[in-house]
Amino acid sequence: MKVLSRQILKQLHFLLLCILTALCTNAFAGQVTVAVTNNFDYTAVELKTQFEAISGHTVNLIPGPSSAHYNRILQGEGFDIFLSDDSERPGILEANAHGTRFTYASAKLVLWSVDNRRLTPDLLTEKDFHLLAITNPRLSPFGKAAQEVLEKLDAWEGIQDKLVVGENIGHTYQLAISGDVDLALIAYSQIVYGMYMQAGSHWQIPDTYYTPMEHQGVLLTDNPAAQEFIQFMQSTRGQQIILGNGYLVP
């Protein structure tokens, strides 16, 4: 039998290390199920992609309205993490021993039009528009913030006949982009994607015009992979991704 050359032995050793590394990675890889609010789903996809690449874990994102996710959790749905668009529902879940909450972002509000036009507060006070879409203030922090902005401008009472109310922030955006309304008060994150800006025009509402829209999440299980995903969200890289998509971070 011929003695294997040193070079072949090195190649076999390297191949064995690769196989063992892959086996170990697969052995310890976990799965995370995340219920994510609609307005954060694009950002969550970017977080998921980078987290999976460095961790070996798999993240299953389930987008939808925060209110619907909240009800499913109360009914026993098996999510590991709930990323809500408010702090009220996570607070209730934590108070009732459903999990541990954390703050992951704060949203910003903009007045947006799919058309290229100059947007100013005077546009709202002078009612120089056809229809304005907002989210339902009773159901969404974005709707509540929109009402606060209009009240700040002394325009709330005078434009009731021009309001179109969306069921959630995603629906409100769809009303605007479809042309059903000419203006909408929506999340800044819905029109900015890293270095790319949605076509149209916008006015970023001063943050003194409305109550801060803090987004909180809840860790619902003791899944180690879920804990790692939250740690990644709160890391420098995770926060860069969140900032780049139009949010503020804690």
Side-chain angles (χ1 to χ4, degrees), residues 7-249:
Q7 184 64 30
I8 293 176
L9 285 173
K10 284 183 178 180
Q11 291 175 351
L12 289 173
H13 183 251
F14 176 74
L15 180 61
L16 179 62
L17 284 176
C18 290
I19 294 172
L20 289 174
T21 299
L23 290 173
C24 289
T25 299
N26 290 333
F28 292 101
Q31 294 190 351
V32 187
T33 303
V34 183
V36 56
T37 182
N38 277 328
N39 77 283
F40 196 74
D41 60 354
Y42 181 89
T43 308
V45 169
E46 192 172 346
L47 290 165
K48 159 191 162 75
T49 301
Q50 297 210 20
F51 174 72
E52 288 180 339
I54 64 175
S55 70
H57 300 314
T58 300
V59 179
N60 180 27
L61 297 176
I62 303 176
S66 292
S67 56
H69 286 321
Y70 174 74
N71 289 331
R72 291 171 70 182
I73 291 168
L74 293 180
Q75 294 167 8
E77 189 81 20
F79 302 125
D80 293 304
I81 300 171
F82 171 38
L83 298 179
S84 184
D85 64 3
D86 68 349
S87 57
E88 181 178 353
R89 281 176 280 252
I92 295 173
L93 289 172
E94 183 180 60
N96 288 279
H98 283 281
T100 305
R101 63 174 167 160
F102 58 96
T103 300
Y104 65 92
S106 291
K108 296 187 282 187
L109 197 70
V110 293
L111 178 67
W112 182 69
S113 172
V114 71
D115 299 318
N116 287 313
R117 58 185 299 186
R118 185 169 178 267
L119 302 183
T120 67
D122 293 340
L123 199 64
L124 298 174
T125 56
E126 296 173 4
K127 300 174 64 173
D128 187 19
F129 58 93
H130 178 54
L131 291 172
L132 168 68
I134 68 169
T135 310
N136 192 328
R138 292 176 298 174
L139 301 178
S140 167
F142 292 98
K144 187 180 298 183
Q147 180 174 343
E148 289 175 354
V149 169
L150 294 170
E151 289 175 340
K152 176 80 172 179
L153 297 171
D154 293 322
W156 175 250
E157 296 297 333
I159 63 171
Q160 292 299 305
D161 60 332
K162 290 179 173 285
L163 290 183
V164 177
V165 179
E167 298 174 2
N168 53 62
I169 193 64
H171 182 213
T172 307
Y173 172 78
Q174 289 301 321
L175 288 169
I177 201 168
S178 67
D180 291 341
V181 301
D182 45 338
L183 296 175
L185 284 164
I186 59 173
Y188 182 53
S189 58
Q190 290 176 294
I191 63 168
V192 59
Y193 311 98
M195 66 180 70
Y196 302 104
M197 185 71 67
Q198 169 72 47
S201 51
H202 75 278
W203 169 50
Q204 190 163 315
I205 311 295
D207 56 15
T208 56
Y209 281 33
Y210 57 93
T211 303
M213 290 181 287
E214 190 174 77
H215 284 14
Q216 289 191 341
V218 184
L219 175 63
L220 299 164
T221 69
D222 58 0
N223 182 350
Q227 296 172 3
E228 288 183 39
F229 184 65
I230 292 172
Q231 290 170 0
F232 176 72
M233 290 180 65
Q234 297 172 335
S235 70
T236 300
R237 181 57 192 142
Q239 292 196 332
Q240 286 174 343
I241 292 171
I242 295 170
L243 284 168
N245 284 283
Y247 295 92
L248 299 173
V249 294

